[in-house]
């Protein structure tokens, strides 16, 4: 017997027929002799619809009330799925995040999990029931409902898997796993059979939408094997783990998928995948004094307003080394308050002007094989040059190279680089069964 946590996204439970399909999969897993915990997102576009309704009432909704509102979508899903599973003859009980023992801080809308005490969930599965938990939510020490922010249901699932010492956490979505690029813009992208947690973190951090960054961080910290697969097919998905397979997962976890070693990965492809991100904007602070502490002060001001700065480039004009230009990217949601905060400190910082560019896109090339293979940068830049695509900013890590291009060139850039690195599949095109993958 294995303990399996399954998470189903909004497209997987979008309507009654989808709910029935998920219920059958849950029951089949239970009847195969496994303990099953299920985490569900809100049905289809429920969360967006709730946001739209709130916007019709107010432009400044209290964050606490918004969390109570938005958590309703997942509660609806958990109750309906529990009914569907019970209808198929398997006992199931639904739990809110608070009932499941998910404790968070009090930052409404983007709460962090600070503790997990899933006693009721553990008792349920030990008694032979399926436990169905509302994703995306928890409760603060004041017993207020909180939500975990974008990708919160992924985080809920992995956190529960870690707390319950689950053997695997299955993330069900509307594509057949992780692909070498987004199959919505690169139809010839191929499915990755296995990928390391380190590579997955880089992909998630730089735009890949199938898994949320916080969920991958949880999985790495607590060594939870992840299996990303489609709820619309029976195909094996992508395994994300550095751990050996559990013996009770025979038939569910292919041994080769979870047993990785340095010897096995040396001859793997140089590049695992390409992520892209349309949600970044660029700010340039021009002609600031090129003195110690100036850049630090710029980013202290950005931090004060909660901006999540990503790529940073500082350059000095050849004809005036006493001045510098500082460019950085950040989420578009952080841009306006960052611009306002910097403008308010213009005299203190001594800059000439702020330049704002919302029309940028980021492409990130990720692969552990880059460590031992020279020429990756040259091939990347050559592919972009051949496609007539200009590069604005560049940043690197040991297993990643990211570049910023014009937003209108981003799709072409991803397609050109994917082909240049030999990642195009020779088999049938990737299938997107549902909507956004969330």
């Amino acid at each position: 017997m294995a303990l399996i946590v399954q998470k189903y996204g909004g497209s997987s439970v979008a309507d009654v027929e989808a709910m029935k399909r998920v219920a059958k999969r849950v029951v089949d897993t239970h009847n195969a002799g496994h303990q099953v915990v299920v985490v569900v997102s809100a049905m289809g576009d429920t969360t967006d619809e709730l946001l739209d309704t709130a916007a019709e009432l107010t432009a400044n909704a209290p964050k606490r009330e918004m969390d109570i509102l938005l958590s309703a979508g997942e509660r609806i899903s958990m109750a309906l799925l529990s009914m569907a599973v019970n209808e198929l003859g398997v006992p199931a009980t639904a739990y809110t995040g608070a009932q499941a023992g998910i404790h968070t801080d009090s930052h409404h809308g983007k709460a962090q999990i600070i503790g997990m005490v899933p006693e009721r969930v553990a008792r349920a599965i030990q008694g032979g029931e399926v436990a169905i938990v509302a994703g995306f939510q928890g409760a603060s020490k004041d017993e207020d409902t909180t939500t975990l922010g974008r990708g919160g249901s992924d985080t809920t699932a992995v956190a529960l898997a870690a707390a319950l010492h689950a053997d695997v956490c299955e993330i069900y979505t509307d594509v057949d796993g992780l692909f070498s690029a987004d199959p919505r813009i690169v139809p010839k992208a191929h499915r990755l059979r296995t990928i390391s947690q380190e590579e997955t973190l880089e992909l998630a951090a730089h735009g890949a939408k199938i898994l949320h960054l916080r969920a991958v961080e949880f999985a790495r910290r607590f060594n939870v094997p992840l299996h990303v697969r489609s709820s619309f097919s029976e195909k094996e998905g992508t395994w994300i783990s550095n751990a050996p397979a559990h013996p009770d997962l025979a038939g569910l976890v292919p041994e080769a998928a979870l047993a990785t070693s340095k010897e096995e990965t040396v001859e793997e492809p140089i590049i695992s995948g390409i992520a892209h991100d349309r949600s970044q904007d660029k700010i340039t602070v021009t002609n600031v004094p090129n003195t110690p502490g100036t850049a630090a002060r710029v980013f202290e001001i950005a931090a004060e307003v909660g901006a999540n700065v990503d790529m940073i480039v500082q350059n000095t004009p050849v004809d005036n080394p006493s001045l510098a230009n500082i460019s950085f990217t950040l989420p578009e949601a952080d841009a306006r308050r960052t611009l306002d905060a910097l403008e308010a400190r213009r005299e203190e910082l001594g800059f000439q002007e702020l330049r704002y560019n919302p029309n940028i896109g980021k492409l990130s090339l990720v692969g552990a094989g880059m460590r031992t293979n020279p020429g990756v940068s040259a091939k990347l830049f050559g592919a972009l040059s051949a496609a007539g695509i200009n590069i604005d900013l560049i940043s690197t890590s040991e297993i990643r190279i990211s570049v910023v291009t014009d937003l209108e060139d981003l799709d072409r850039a991803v397609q050109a680089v994917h082909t240049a690195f030999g990642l195009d599949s020779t088999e049938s095109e990737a299938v997107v069964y549902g909507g956004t993958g969330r």
Side-chain angles (χ1 to χ4, degrees):
M1 182 194 309
L3 199 172
I4 300 172
V5 175
Q6 298 180 337
K7 178 263 177 178
Y8 293 92
S11 59
S12 297
V13 292
D15 52 34
V16 171
E17 290 307 311
M19 218 40 106
K20 289 179 178 179
R21 183 173 57 246
V22 166
K24 183 180 184 304
R25 189 184 291 268
V26 170
V27 168
D28 288 346
T29 306
H30 176 272
N31 289 343
H34 303 296
Q35 294 178 322
V36 186
V37 177
V38 179
V39 174
V40 287
S41 296
M43 297 173 66
D45 297 324
T46 298
T47 301
D48 289 336
E49 291 168 359
L50 291 172
L51 285 167
D52 291 344
T53 302
E56 292 178 11
L57 296 170
T58 176
N60 190 28
K63 291 183 178 180
R64 177 184 179 277
E65 316 313 316
M66 283 299 295
D67 272 2
I68 294 173
L69 174 68
L70 297 181
S71 65
E74 280 70 20
R75 295 184 186 210
I76 292 169
S77 293
M78 74 176 194
L80 291 174
L81 184 58
S82 179
M83 295 175 192
V85 171
N86 275 288
E87 182 67 15
L88 294 176
V90 172
T93 303
Y95 300 93
T96 66
Q99 291 168 338
I102 300 171
H103 302 310
T104 74
D105 59 25
S106 299
H107 290 90
H108 290 287
K110 53 180 179 180
Q112 299 280 329
I113 295 174
I114 59 175
M116 297 288 298
V117 189
E119 293 178 354
R120 297 181 67 180
V121 172
R123 286 199 301 269
I125 60 176
Q126 287 166 7
E129 295 184 16
V130 171
I132 301 176
V133 180
F136 177 63
Q137 62 188 257
S140 69
K141 64 180 180 180
D142 299 321
E143 299 185 355
D144 279 337
T145 297
T146 56
T147 62
L148 307 180
R150 179 183 171 275
S153 293
D154 288 353
T155 305
T156 300
V158 180
L160 276 170
L164 294 166
H165 306 290
D167 299 295
V168 64
C169 181
E170 298 181 330
I171 305 291
Y172 286 92
T173 180
D174 61 3
V175 290
D176 290 319
L178 290 178
F179 283 77
S180 51
D182 186 342
R184 295 167 180 82
I185 65 171
V186 185
K188 291 186 178 180
H190 69 273
R191 180 181 60 83
L192 306 174
R193 181 166 178 261
T194 64
I195 186 171
S196 71
Q197 292 168 336
E198 183 182 20
E199 290 168 299
T200 308
L201 274 172
E202 289 282 10
L203 287 169
H206 294 278
K209 304 298 184 186
I210 297 301
L211 270 175
H212 194 258
L213 178 61
R214 286 165 62 186
V216 182
E217 289 173 337
F218 249 110
R220 183 173 70 166
R221 188 180 312 150
F222 296 102
N223 204 24
V224 177
L226 300 178
H227 187 190
V228 181
R229 59 192 307 197
S230 174
S231 63
F232 296 82
S233 77
E234 297 301 322
K235 295 179 181 179
E236 183 184 331
T238 301
W239 287 93
I240 305 165
S241 179
N242 300 320
H246 189 286
D248 287 340
L249 291 176
L252 288 175
V253 184
E255 187 173 346
L258 298 185
T260 59
S261 68
K262 290 182 179 178
E263 290 76 18
E264 289 173 332
T265 58
V266 165
E267 299 303 327
E268 288 183 355
I270 298 172
I271 302 303
S272 293
I274 301 170
H276 71 280
D277 189 352
R278 305 179 196 278
S279 67
Q280 299 263 317
D281 293 350
K282 186 180 78 166
I283 293 174
T284 300
V285 187
T286 68
N287 291 337
V288 296
N290 188 18
T291 56
T294 300
R297 188 63 190 128
V298 168
F299 295 111
E300 285 171 359
I301 293 169
E304 287 171 3
V305 296
N308 185 15
V309 173
D310 183 14
M311 300 172 69
I312 301 170
V313 172
Q314 177 172 326
N315 54 60
T316 302
V318 175
D319 59 349
N320 192 349
S322 65
L323 299 176
N325 296 326
I326 301 174
S327 297
F328 57 94
T329 64
L330 74 175
E332 58 186 349
D334 297 341
R336 176 45 53 193
R337 63 177 179 269
T338 303
L339 286 165
D340 291 344
L342 290 171
E343 184 61 44
R345 310 290 180 85
R346 177 189 287 264
E347 186 174 342
E348 172 192 341
L349 294 171
F351 61 82
Q352 180 178 345
E353 66 173 321
L354 293 175
R355 295 176 184 169
Y356 173 54
N357 182 2
N359 298 312
I360 64 167
K362 183 175 71 172
L363 178 154
S364 297
L365 200 63
V366 175
M370 292 166 60
R371 292 188 179 107
T372 55
N373 286 271
V376 174
S377 298
K379 182 180 287 190
L380 168 63
F381 300 145
L384 294 173
S385 174
I389 296 168
N390 192 43
I391 298 169
D392 192 358
L393 300 176
I394 303 168
S395 73
T396 64
S397 75
E398 191 177 14
I399 65 169
R400 173 190 53 81
I401 304 174
S402 294
V403 298
V404 167
T405 71
D406 286 342
L407 184 59
E408 64 181 16
D409 292 333
L410 184 59
D411 286 6
R412 286 196 306 114
V414 174
Q415 293 158 2
V417 173
H418 195 271
T419 298
F421 280 90
L423 299 177
D424 291 351
S425 173
T426 58
E427 301 175 1
S428 58
E429 292 187 351
V431 177
V432 180
Y433 298 95
T436 63
R438 306 304 305 168

